[in-house]
Amino acid sequence: MDLGIRGRKALVCAASRGLGRGCAEALAAEGVNLVINARGREALTRTAWEIAERHEVTVEPVAADITTDEGRAAVLGALGGQADILVTNAGGPPPGRWTDWGRDDFIRAIDANMLSAIALMQALVPGMMDRGWGRVVNITSQSVRSPIAELGLSNTARAGLTGFVAGMSRQVADRGVCVNNLLPGIHDTDRAAALDAGAAERGGITRDEARARRQAAIPTRSYGRAEDFGAACAFLCSQQARFIVGQNLLLDGGALNVAV
Ligand code: NAP
């Protein structure tokens, strides 16, 4: 299926590897030109080069921390202040117990996983509305549907972003802008490996055992792949997705048994 977005321009945040990279690859495969971002310059530059070469699109890397005002200003500068497609993403906060976290920890998590995405939408969506077309995909988490006890910082920040999107997506849809959230279950990325390691340490088991147990809890009996995630993201950014607004799409291999 041709997604009808060839020649569009997208910003994909936190995209040197993992789910962000999966989204960048899938958009590039549809002929979308990209600005991609991550903090580590070397890996980001390599990723940009590989994607550009494979899909014959332009890919501009901007090494910056997307959770800071300066980082977002650098990325927006590279875009010339406008994009047709925005994919927000940032690293997830660390796990812990509810008593572990103080005000600074909450502010960091809320900055990274809520306010950064909101600031980018506020910067780029008005231009999309003026031009009558836009797509926004926020990478959140399955924990929005079923909060994970030890990811309290993530649960808190992402619940805030989800509430914001539920309102603003309905306020921009009449101008051709579709805003949705993609909720990853467990995908085979560095983040998943770190969570496997944490589960292994807490349970006194090996990482392989921790991974096998987590996989056994997923009906597909496997972790998702960044390519699977990217394909869903590209569809939400497609022409055909014009009637999908304000949704929270769970990609988890059926792990959460939710009826709707
Ligand atoms: P990942 O494999 O660790 O990749 C994270 C990417 O984000 C890297 O490119 C990293 O590059 C970049 N990044 C991190 N912090 C950044 C920042 N402050 N500014 C700019 N770039 C930044 O993680 P992932 O698995 O793709 O996860 C992406 C998001 O989905 C996270 O928020 C995670 O919590 C969430 N999630 C993941 C899963 C899963 O199973 N994978 C499940 C649920 C939710 P640099 O380090 O060089 O900046």
Side-chain angles (χ1 to χ4, degrees):
M1 189 195 294
D2 178 353
L3 298 186
I5 49 178
R6 183 163 300 280
R8 297 273 184 194
K9 181 165 69 169
L11 166 62
V12 186
C13 303
S16 62
R17 57 178 198 276
L19 302 181
R21 177 171 184 161
C23 296
E25 290 266 3
L27 289 170
E30 292 299 319
V32 174
N33 297 310
L34 302 173
V35 171
I36 63 170
N37 148 265
R39 292 163 303 178
R41 186 177 302 277
E42 202 183 313
L44 180 70
T45 306
R46 194 169 48 245
T47 296
W49 188 85
E50 287 171 3
I51 295 176
E53 165 118 327
R54 189 170 307 136
H55 302 291
E56 296 181 357
V57 293
T58 63
V59 186
E60 185 172 349
V62 180
D65 184 340
I66 201 67
T67 69
T68 64
D69 289 340
E70 306 75 50
R72 286 189 296 277
V75 164
L76 292 170
L79 285 165
Q82 79 175 50
D84 305 305
I85 293 169
L86 165 64
V87 180
T88 73
N89 186 26
R97 282 187 63 78
W98 64 280
T99 46
D100 289 347
W101 305 307
R103 178 179 163 78
D104 290 348
D105 302 299
F106 281 106
I107 296 296
R108 253 193 308 279
I110 288 168
D111 265 342
N113 298 115
M114 175 184 166
L115 296 179
S116 298
I118 292 174
L120 288 167
M121 286 189 274
Q122 287 177 332
L124 293 172
V125 169
M128 296 178 190
M129 293 169 75
D130 288 345
R131 294 186 300 279
W133 197 94
R135 299 286 184 266
V136 179
V137 174
N138 299 295
I139 300 180
T140 65
S141 174
Q142 65 179 356
S143 65
V144 169
R145 282 275 168 78
S146 179
I148 299 164
E150 61 273 22
L151 294 180
L153 290 173
S154 167
N155 299 337
T156 304
R158 298 191 202 275
L161 177 61
T162 304
F164 176 84
V165 167
M168 74 78 77
S169 60
R170 270 90 187 174
Q171 294 177 321
V172 303
D174 66 342
R175 306 285 287 279
V177 181
C178 301
V179 183
N180 292 285
N181 302 323
L182 261 187
L183 284 53
I186 304 176
H187 284 70
D188 205 356
T189 67
D190 291 354
R191 168 81 172 168
L195 293 177
D196 285 348
E201 204 178 306
R202 282 192 303 282
I205 54 176
T206 66
R207 289 179 188 199
D208 285 350
E209 282 168 329
R211 183 181 170 114
R213 283 186 199 179
R214 297 214 300 155
Q215 281 182 334
I218 304 172
T220 55
R221 308 285 177 246
S222 61
Y223 288 179
R225 297 168 308 177
E227 305 92 273
D228 305 329
F229 192 85
C233 175
F235 184 76
L236 285 180
C237 297
S238 71
Q239 206 62 44
Q240 291 88 336
R242 58 167 289 278
F243 209 50
I244 305 178
V245 170
Q247 299 303 300
N248 290 282
L249 178 62
L250 183 60
L251 296 181
D252 71 341
L256 298 188
N257 196 348
V258 284
V260 286

